[in-house]
Amino acid sequence: PFLADPNYQPLDEKALARRLRVPPEDAATFAKFLAEEENAGRIMQVRHSLYVLPKRLGFCVGRLQMNERGFGFLVPIDPAEPDFYIAGEDTAAAFHGDLVLARIKEQRGGRQRDSRLRGEVVKVLQRKRRQLVGTLRKSQMFYYVLPDETRIPHDISVPAPAGDPPLGQKVVVELKEWPDRRKPPEGIITEVLGAPDAPGVDLLSIIRKHDLPTSFPEKVEQEAADIAALIPVAEIARREDFRKIFTVTIDPDDAKDFDDALSYHILPNGDFEIFTHIADVSHYVPTGSALDVEARLRGNSVYLVDRVIPMLPEKLSNGICSLQPHVDRLVKTAIITLDRRGEIKTFRFAAGIIHSAKRFTYKEAFAQLRKPDTTPLARHLH
């Protein structure tokens, strides 16, 4: 807010610290804060190391979204700002997906409806990726990697591989700093994945391309190992007990973990009470723990054709946080009361415990719904 004030005059680090009344003992912390803000593109330095907001000088910070034909668009980090066009020759040393600082150059088109802001990249703030997957090739003069990502229109120059060069094979290349667009980007081959048509290479290429983790840090594994599988009596006592209510899970045939479950019963007045249960992962993953930090970094589990890269270690994702049948599991539950027309009358939320009676696939559940009410199980589902 201070730098955004219309009356703000650019100040250097020391002057800013004085104006903001930063204690002398916090000078190093303040300097680190300014550096982080500058690296994130929220502030910038001009002549004489004076700090200003980029927008004030006609600059914009955003993600570069490249097109396969070589040009791109800048998507500002401020959603209120419009996207603008970046010509291929104006992308500087930026790759697709990089966070960049760009300068608005001019407006394209004569008619207002065709007008389009145009800009040029002046600085790469953060690289989206540090490694690429591609195919190793050789020209008359040097070896290079042709990236699989078609929105990266640059060959990556690499040193001559030792021994028998794996020409035509998929490789992982770690990118070096690329400060000058007039020179080709350079990298170092860190892994040879194999021939493009070899079994498993396609999936391994996807894993490396998106830098997906294939293992958990030791501290994360240790936290998971230390979690007791047995639910303490005190924890059960503080929750609502839904274990006597008929409960099922319904998932695809090949599901490995079961995140949600369903219960219901009919009230004396004919209303339905529906219980939608979600595995209570938060009970086992405290905020700020190594498990929590790693899960936030991963964001989600990744399902590939022949494997799953989970957000949490298997003990949680396929174990105590999976609502398997015939075992007690901790849940967060939405309890909804419906009348006979299906209208919601009341709802509330609760921390609970369940004991699933059956794991259904979609096909099995549909088959049960089509059966006459001749079995207890069928009657529960109708």
Side-chain angles (χ1 to χ4, degrees), residues 128-267:
K128 180 182 179 182
R129 65 189 78 198
R130 289 293 177 181
Q131 66 178 26
L132 297 173
V133 174
T135 304
L136 180 63
R137 295 185 176 177
K138 184 180 184 300
S139 68
Q140 289 185 343
M141 301 296 295
F142 58 89
Y143 289 89
Y144 65 94
V145 173
L146 179 65
D148 285 356
E149 175 58 79
T150 56
R151 289 176 292 185
I152 296 179
H154 310 285
D155 297 336
I156 312 300
S157 177
V158 295
D164 187 18
L167 291 174
Q169 296 194 30
K170 294 291 184 184
V171 298
V172 179
V173 58
E174 182 179 333
L175 297 172
K176 294 183 178 180
E177 292 298 325
W178 184 33
D180 189 351
R181 181 183 171 87
R182 292 171 296 181
K183 298 179 181 180
E186 298 180 347
I188 299 174
I189 295 175
T190 59
E191 186 178 2
V192 177
L193 302 179
D197 56 353
V201 170
D202 52 349
L203 291 178
L204 194 55
S205 296
I206 291 172
I207 291 171
R208 297 292 185 267
K209 173 183 176 181
H210 296 283
D211 200 20
L212 301 176
T214 54
S215 61
F216 286 95
E218 183 177 346
K219 190 173 182 180
V220 174
E221 292 281 14
Q222 187 59 54
E223 281 191 1
D226 290 342
I227 295 174
L230 187 65
I231 302 172
V233 174
E235 182 61 33
I236 296 175
R238 76 175 193 87
R239 291 173 175 262
E240 291 195 44
D241 196 337
F242 304 119
R243 288 177 292 180
K244 292 183 179 180
I245 303 174
F246 182 77
T247 301
V248 298
T249 60
I250 305 175
D251 292 279
D253 293 18
D254 56 353
K256 299 294 190 297
D257 55 342
F258 315 111
D259 303 325
D260 49 80
L262 182 68
S263 313
Y264 87 94
H265 66 73
I266 302 174
L267 299 174

Side-chain angles (χ1 to χ4, degrees), residues 246 248 250 264 360 364-365 368-369 376-382:
F246 182 77
V248 298
I250 305 175
Y264 87 94
F360 279 103
E364 289 171 339
Q368 289 288 339
L369 289 171
L377 185 57
R379 286 196 296 272
H380 274 297
L381 289 174
H382 276 275

Side-chain angles (χ1 to χ4, degrees), residues 325-344:
H326 314 305
V327 289
D328 292 348
R329 289 289 183 255
L330 301 182
V331 292
K332 296 290 189 182
T333 300
I335 302 107
I336 305 168
T337 304
L338 303 176
D339 62 21
R340 297 182 183 185
R341 295 174 299 174
E343 298 290 337
I344 295 177

Side-chain angles (χ1 to χ4, degrees), residues 40 46-47 55 61 79 89 100 124-125 135 154 161 166 168 194 199 203 209 234 290 307 312 328 330 341:
V46 293
R47 294 175 62 183
K55 185 178 180 180
V61 176
E89 64 269 20
V100 302
V124 176
L125 300 173
T135 304
H154 310 285
L203 291 178
K209 173 183 176 181
R307 73 196 76 181
L312 294 167
D328 292 348
L330 301 182
R341 295 174 299 174

Side-chain angles (χ1 to χ4, degrees), residues 10-13 45-51:
L11 300 172
D12 63 14
E13 180 185 321
Q45 288 191 67
V46 293
R47 294 175 62 183
H48 308 300
S49 300
L50 303 178
Y51 286 97

